[in-house]
Amino acid sequence: AAAHYPDGTIASLRRAKRAALAGDADAALPELLRAVSRGYNRFDQLEADPAWDAVREDARFRALVREIAAGWIESGRHRQGATQTELRAIAQAHVVREEYAEALRSYEAALAAGGPDDAAIREEIRAVQEALASGDPRVRVRLGAAGED
């Protein structure tokens, strides 16, 4: 897709990722913004993929990920009969926004809905509870970081 559509979402995302891997936030962020403006909305990938590590703490990157996550929360707000996977995604969006109490409510709803993700959800709940118990507002839960040293 990137070869056929050099101004498309995939091409922009690839350029952003290459720049991020090189530690060049000034080049990565405009390309990432371009991808988002074309529909890219995978905040979970931006949080978990190590390719973004070099720019992850950049305030502009954090703000963009939070904005994408807010879109997921808003789209799920009025959804009736959401699946466990959808409720988990909403919980993860709250985690990214550091809205941990809301995340716990969504995770609990995801468990109540039942489905194949119970074990992963319980692990994510534990991480959020640990962050809350620390009492330190600088402690941030990172999606996809479970089990990392």
Side-chain angles (χ1 to χ4, degrees), residues 25 29 32-33 43-49 52-70 92-100 138 140-143:
L29 289 162
L32 184 55
L33 276 167
F43 71 88
D44 54 326
Q45 291 177 351
L46 295 172
E47 280 292 292
D49 186 340
W52 302 103
D53 285 353
V55 299
R56 190 174 316 285
E57 298 307 319
D58 185 290
R60 298 166 296 171
F61 182 86
R62 299 281 353 123
L64 182 57
V65 171
R66 288 174 59 89
E67 180 183 322
I68 295 168
Q92 290 173 335
H94 282 296
V95 167
V96 166
R97 294 179 55 77
E98 299 177 40
E99 299 166 347
Y100 296 139
R138 295 170 298 175
R140 187 166 61 86
V141 175
R142 173 135 173 254
L143 296 177

Side-chain angles (χ1 to χ4, degrees), residues 2 7-8 12 16-17 19 21 24 32-33 44 49 52 62 71-74 81 86 91 114 125 129-130 133 136:
D7 292 325
S12 294
K17 193 178 271 196
L21 284 165
D24 188 350
L32 184 55
L33 276 167
D44 54 326
D49 186 340
W52 302 103
R62 299 281 353 123
W72 279 74
I73 293 166
E74 186 57 33
E86 291 167 333
I125 287 172
Q129 289 172 331
E130 286 178 6
D136 185 347

